[in-house]
Amino acid sequence: MTRPLRERWLRTPRRTRWLLVAAGLALGGLLVRGLLPKENEQRKRPPVLVETTQARYGQLDVVFPLTGEVKAIAAAAIRPEVSGMLQQVHFREGQQVKAGQLLLSLDPDEFQAALNQARANSQKAEAGVLQARAEAKRTATQASTARVRAERYRNLGRQGAVSNDQQDQFISEADSAEATALSSSSGVSSALANLAAARAAEATARLQLQRTQIRSPIAGRAGQLQVTVGNYVRAQDNAPLLLVNSFSPIDVVFAVPQRLLGQLRPGLPVQLEASGPGAVPIRGRLASVDNAVDATTGTTRIKSRFANGDQSLVPGQFVKGRLQLQRLENVLLVPQTAVQIGQKGSYVYLASGKPKTGKAEVRPIRTGPAADGEVVVLGGLEPGDRVVTKGQFALSPGASLSERPGRPGGARQPSREGGTKP
């Protein structure tokens, strides 16, 4: 201290000097405390309780979410092919029916009468054929006899035994008999044509009678009947009497972006979400890919097929699911909940040291595809590294932590069709 300052200090009252010294000491303490590292404060904080999971090798299914509509492979709108009164119903609504099974019966009396008349006409035509053939045979015999007689008289005329007038008369009679035989032969053809027309009319009448028995053209589940017994139904009506839809197997149609076209191929596993409590996912296969892309939406339609043995999928139903595009084998996996996004990219918190007295460490990583709550790690981690999956938001680099093992991510087993069981 210089001499002027020392003199000024000595002239200051003692009480004031003690107050200045106390203030200086307090300020120095604050400065020293601010300069000390915060490790002491962190040591005083209790460890953060976190859940951890080890990075592990496993398999991951690369999937794409889907929303689509259930479509029946075969659907039949049952309409009457003839008009008549509905006489009897042979099925129950909602019943599983077979192809060719009788569903409805119309009043057959009118059609039976028409068939009887057609049968009578056929029998009449058959009799006409027999008569025409007999007539043709008779005239053919007469023509043959007349020709033989004409040839005999021709020879006699050459010998001068008969006159030319007699010879010409018998030749003329032979020509006339042959013309009659030819006419009778054409009559047989006409009678055969009449018989064919009668038989065709009989077949038509028989077909019309058969159409009074309305049968299912396909196997499937019968819908609700739109009319009741006693109603008159017309073949010209556009509204169907009922619908029959096939249920097993069944298709689901989805629309996927065109960027996936290179990865689509028949046979890829498709899994639909469970529709209710206790239900299990429904698994099927990609059946076909459409041959064009919708220019307005940039998507293409794909069709997947499901066995649907329990008939839980119904035509017209909208469902959600996922398409398995690829299965990655032997890749390093961590739960998606462990991955954080920072300014420099993805990172995770690692737990180093002992489980009860460990430290938090920030580790940048490179990630790949993600699905089913897991993400592929392409770099930055090793198998067995303990990553924090819960509680990481309360951590900071170097913070103390206490580990509690969490549920291993991705503990799923592949299904028989290639999907995954949650």
Side-chain angles (χ1 to χ4, degrees), residues 288-343:
S288 64
V289 181
D290 203 354
N291 60 356
V293 174
D294 188 341
T296 59
T297 61
T299 61
T300 189
R301 290 160 60 90
I302 64 173
K303 183 183 294 183
S304 57
R305 184 152 295 177
F306 299 84
N308 201 30
D310 58 355
Q311 299 190 358
S312 58
L313 297 177
V314 180
Q317 176 184 2
F318 283 90
V319 293
K320 293 183 178 180
R322 61 183 190 176
L323 169 66
Q324 180 182 319
L325 298 172
Q326 186 181 7
R327 171 165 287 181
L328 302 177
E329 301 284 354
N330 199 31
V331 291
L332 190 62
L333 302 173
V334 296
Q336 282 184 286
T337 55
V339 181
Q340 308 295 313
I341 305 298
Q343 294 181 352

Side-chain angles (χ1 to χ4, degrees), residues 110-193:
E110 176 185 351
F111 302 95
Q112 185 64 57
L115 177 59
N116 294 338
Q117 182 179 359
R119 284 174 178 170
N121 292 336
S122 295
Q123 293 172 358
K124 182 179 179 180
E126 289 175 357
V129 169
L130 294 176
Q131 182 179 0
R133 283 175 175 171
E135 180 64 18
K137 185 176 180 180
R138 184 183 65 82
T139 56
T141 302
Q142 290 177 349
S144 177
T145 303
R147 179 58 60 186
V148 170
R149 186 169 54 246
E151 288 298 325
R152 185 171 65 250
Y153 274 88
R154 187 193 301 272
N155 293 331
L156 292 174
R158 291 172 182 172
Q159 299 173 4
V162 296
S163 64
N164 290 335
D165 291 341
Q166 289 178 326
Q167 179 182 345
D168 293 340
Q169 178 182 355
F170 284 107
I171 292 175
S172 177
E173 289 178 357
D175 292 340
S176 177
E178 288 178 348
T180 302
L182 181 62
S183 177
S184 298
S185 177
S186 63
V188 172
S189 299
S190 178
L192 288 174

